[in-house]
Amino acid sequence: MPDQERTREIAVDRELCMGSGMCIVYAPGTFAHDEATKAIVIDPMGDAIDAVRIAIEACPTGALSLTSEEERG
Amino acid sequence: MSEVDDTQTLDREQLRRLFDLRSSYNAHSGGDYTDDPYPMWAQLRARAAVHEGTVHELTGHAGAASFHGLPFPDRPHFSAFSFASCDTAYRDDEVFASSPDAAGPEADDISVTSSMLSMGGARHRRYRSLVQPSFVPAKAQWWIANWIERTVHLLIDGFVDDGRAELNVDFAAAIPVLTITGSFGVPVEQALVIRESLQRPMEIVEMLEPIVAARREKPRDDLISVLVEAEYTDDDGVTHRLSDAEVYSFAMLLLAAGSGTTWKQMGITITALLQRPDVLAAVREDRQLLRSAIEESLRWMPTDPMFSRWVTRDVDFHGVQLPRGAVLHLCIGAANRDPARWVRPEQFDVRRAPKPTLAFGSGPHICIGMHVARAEMAVGIGALLDRLPNLRLDPDAEPPRFIGMYERGATAIPVLFG
């Protein structure tokens, strides 16, 4: 819903991240890789929340987490 | 780039022999198994997540089979069939190691078994980080533009005027081999020799030796150059690069893990679509669906439905006592159809919402080539749809069937078009 104010905070554990690219498969609007081939969040609102949850679950080393999410109508 | 300008030099007879799932070359991994294992896997999964025994024994296949984690006759064997148990084992590489001894390569031991597959812990992470940058989603376009696209179109050029083709060996089988060997800078006439030499690694090393030396001298925009230039700096500020032996081992791993798997998964995907003309028509109209079809094929029938882990300490796993030293076989074929995770799991449905499967594994050893494999399948099948109107199974030929125990794939895929 575009008229909603929403915030999301997504944490990346850079020690755990191995650069597999799984997050980019499932939420390409949210995640990318930096120079060190570590996942970075390019836009926390870049994909539907379901896609972000799937990307977090898909991470093979559990490097991603949704630390806060507020959705207000 | 002239490496793949002449696919006509590919010996089709040699291709057919190398890529016949039932040939003696492939029989060792259960290529002589022709039944559908999924009904038995569903029964086993419903009874318990983890069973004692190997997957092929539990499935009722008496033939000898050698694959990852087999045969190891002196060790106890267990098999996991649920998504949760397989996923947990993949992610916990301390309890479930990827090799019997996580020793990794010796300087003078060049083979697939001495590659990254068998390393563990921090050493594996460091080594993999050297090569991971060439295999990320953003790099898929580099693979496509340099090797995949040209290979795919040259292969189609070979049969586009015939009105008929056999898509398994003449198309799907050749793409990954030519992509990987092309990325090494190996001339096309040597590509099949390399595939054939996988059991004799020193022959491959002899072929790669001059290439590696030349790239160390003068790098190009290819994979061997990436491998010889990759470096990382350790905690003490010392810079490390891959030795020649490590480059050869990685090249061997890519050939062994990347060429057979991708062609068979592509054949499975093509067959699943041809068997469902309405779905094929929908994919032809809406190419967004092609990606979904590839993901669904990976879920529904992963070409390698089993990988193994070695148990490093006594553990109670899903109610079963696994002793230290046991081999745990992860039946990802069964895990990918777990009804606890998917609705109507036995159905091939390209309209499912995206959800991770275990087709490429999980955990620290998740398939490094998965984005390249996806790119090869998408470009290959997309090009067939672009260039072969009215593509359909040949009604007068024997229809394709899925065979194999540990390396599953389609028999011949005879098609008509135009």
Side-chain angles (χ1 to χ4, degrees), chain B residues 14 18 25 177 180-182 184-201 203-208 211 251-252 254-256 259:
Chain B
Q14 196 184 11
L18 278 178
Y25 185 84
V177 176
I180 296 169
T181 52
F184 293 169
V186 169
V188 69
E189 58 272 13
Q190 283 190 321
L192 286 189
V193 180
I194 280 198
R195 161 87 195 168
E196 214 159 3
S197 305
L198 273 180
Q199 312 297 331
R200 302 182 299 280
E203 289 180 25
I204 298 184
V205 169
E206 277 167 28
M207 264 181 264
L208 290 174
I211 298 172
M252 295 286 300
L254 280 190
L255 280 166
S259 51

Side-chain angles (χ1 to χ4, degrees), chain B residues 49-333:
Chain B
V50 180
H51 294 255
E52 187 165 0
T54 67
V55 170
H56 64 280
E57 287 164 347
L58 288 161
T59 309
H61 182 55
S66 141
F67 199 67
H68 191 230
L70 293 166
F72 291 93
D74 302 332
R75 292 173 181 257
H77 290 261
F78 297 85
S79 296
F81 290 88
S82 70
F83 183 90
S85 59
C86 292
D87 191 51
T88 302
Y90 264 131
R91 289 170 181 269
D92 186 348
D93 67 330
E94 281 186 17
V95 177
F96 302 100
S98 67
S99 77
D101 50 343
E106 301 303 322
D108 58 350
D109 175 21
I110 297 155
S111 72
V112 173
T113 48
S114 75
S115 72
M116 210 164 42
L117 275 188
S118 47
M119 295 180 200
R123 177 151 184 257
H124 168 261
R125 265 201 305 279
R126 267 202 315 274
Y127 185 94
R128 178 157 173 155
S129 71
L130 287 174
V131 289
Q132 185 68 48
S134 300
F135 293 88
V136 294
K139 207 68 175 162
Q141 207 44 54
W142 178 74
W143 285 88
I144 291 168
N146 280 320
W147 301 291
I148 302 172
E149 196 124 59
R150 192 182 285 108
T151 302
V152 161
H153 283 288
L154 281 163
L155 288 166
I156 297 177
D157 289 347
F159 56 72
V160 68
D161 297 328
D162 298 349
R164 61 172 58 240
E166 191 290 295
L167 293 181
N168 205 31
V169 168
D170 292 350
F171 183 70
I175 294 167
V177 176
L178 294 178
T179 298
I180 296 169
T181 52
S183 79
F184 293 169
V186 169
V188 69
E189 58 272 13
Q190 283 190 321
L192 286 189
V193 180
I194 280 198
R195 161 87 195 168
E196 214 159 3
S197 305
L198 273 180
Q199 312 297 331
R200 302 182 299 280
M202 290 323 289
E203 289 180 25
I204 298 184
V205 169
E206 277 167 28
M207 264 181 264
L208 290 174
E209 218 161 358
I211 298 172
V212 171
R215 297 301 181 273
R216 286 202 190 277
E217 197 67 35
K218 191 166 178 287
R220 279 197 209 168
D221 189 24
D222 65 14
L223 190 70
I224 298 291
S225 305
V226 168
L227 295 178
V228 300
E229 292 199 291
E231 57 181 42
Y232 75 94
T233 307
D234 68 17
D235 298 339
D236 303 328
V238 180
T239 299
H240 295 265
R241 285 193 168 196
L242 294 178
S243 67
D244 283 3
E246 285 172 324
V247 171
Y248 302 145
S249 277
F250 187 68
M252 295 286 300
L253 173 64
L254 280 190
L255 280 166
S259 51
T261 45
T262 311
W263 82 260
K264 280 177 284 181
Q265 198 68 52
M266 195 180 315
I268 288 167
T269 310
I270 292 168
T271 301
L273 291 172
L274 287 165
Q275 289 172 335
R276 296 164 182 78
D278 55 325
V279 180
L280 182 66
V283 169
R284 187 188 283 280
E285 287 309 303
D286 175 6
R287 293 306 169 82
Q288 286 299 309
L289 274 182
L290 178 53
R291 217 190 99 173
S292 312
I294 290 165
E295 295 303 311
E296 178 64 349
S297 131
L298 286 160
R299 182 198 71 82
W300 181 73
M301 196 170 294
T303 176
D304 291 351
M306 186 280 284
F307 276 93
S308 303
R309 289 295 183 261
W310 282 261
V311 181
T312 60
R313 62 172 170 82
D314 293 1
V315 62
D316 178 344
F317 191 61
H318 291 261
V320 178
Q321 296 298 320
L322 306 180
R324 178 170 179 265
V327 187
L328 178 66
H329 305 282
L330 309 179
C331 186
I332 60 176

Side-chain angles (χ1 to χ4, degrees), chain B residues 73 218 344 358 380:
Chain B
K218 191 166 178 287
R344 298 182 314 284
L358 295 179

